[in-house]
Amino acid sequence: MKNMVETPHIANNIHASVLIGCGLTSFFFNEKRPKTALIAPAVGSALLLMSPALKAGNRNIAHAAVGLTSVLAVTTGQMLTKELWPKKEAGATFPKEVHNRRAAVFGTMTLTGLAAVGVYVAGFIAKRKKMKSAIL
């Protein structure tokens, strides 16, 4: 039985699915239908398209997936921080239930993104150790 480190495409698929679900939730729950809410589903779709290459071990695609996932995790983390601790001068721009929903969406995307990056990096380290031990 393989562990998650040996199957980064599974972590990628889970994170991509969360991005698509959370982004579409944000889009459809907001009456204004903000186009920016579609960024996460677009990135999730791109990550899903990268999954077969990840499974095959394509290093270039793996690095692209890590970069894309990292950038989005940092961005959603910043947005989560702004929802949890808004600046006083910004005032209450949304009702409390909207803040809670946004915090849940950004938090979910951030957590799955960080978990996926962790799996990717652990996989890179494991492969490097395996290569070094094969050389020795």
Side-chain angles (χ1 to χ4, degrees):
M1 184 161 124
K2 292 184 178 184
N3 64 25
M4 187 61 85
V5 171
E6 296 170 345
T7 55
H9 62 284
I10 294 173
N12 183 65
N13 289 344
I14 292 168
H15 178 57
S17 299
V18 166
L19 291 176
I20 292 167
C22 286
L24 292 177
T25 297
S26 291
F27 183 76
F28 288 114
F29 272 72
N30 189 331
E31 310 78 44
K32 296 178 184 176
R33 306 286 188 262
K35 303 274 189 269
T36 55
L38 297 176
I39 294 170
V43 172
S45 298
L47 288 172
L48 280 178
L49 291 174
M50 293 179 189
S51 219
L54 275 173
K55 187 175 184 177
N58 185 317
R59 292 173 66 185
N60 291 330
I61 297 297
H63 285 91
V66 171
L68 199 53
T69 302
S70 298
V71 167
L72 197 64
V74 167
T75 303
T76 57
Q78 289 175 332
M79 295 172 88
L80 172 63
T81 302
K82 289 179 182 177
E83 287 302 320
L84 294 176
W85 300 285
K87 293 183 178 178
K88 289 181 182 176
E89 58 270 8
T93 55
F94 300 112
K96 185 151 181 68
E97 58 273 357
V98 173
H99 275 294
N100 291 341
R101 185 190 76 232
R102 289 170 55 96
V105 166
F106 293 139
T108 303
M109 290 192 291
T110 302
L111 287 175
T112 60
L114 293 174
V117 169
V119 169
Y120 300 149
V121 171
F124 292 154
I125 292 169
K127 284 181 184 177
R128 181 155 294 178
K129 284 182 181 179
K130 191 175 182 179
M131 285 177 28
K132 280 186 179 181
S133 67
I135 293 172
L136 299 174

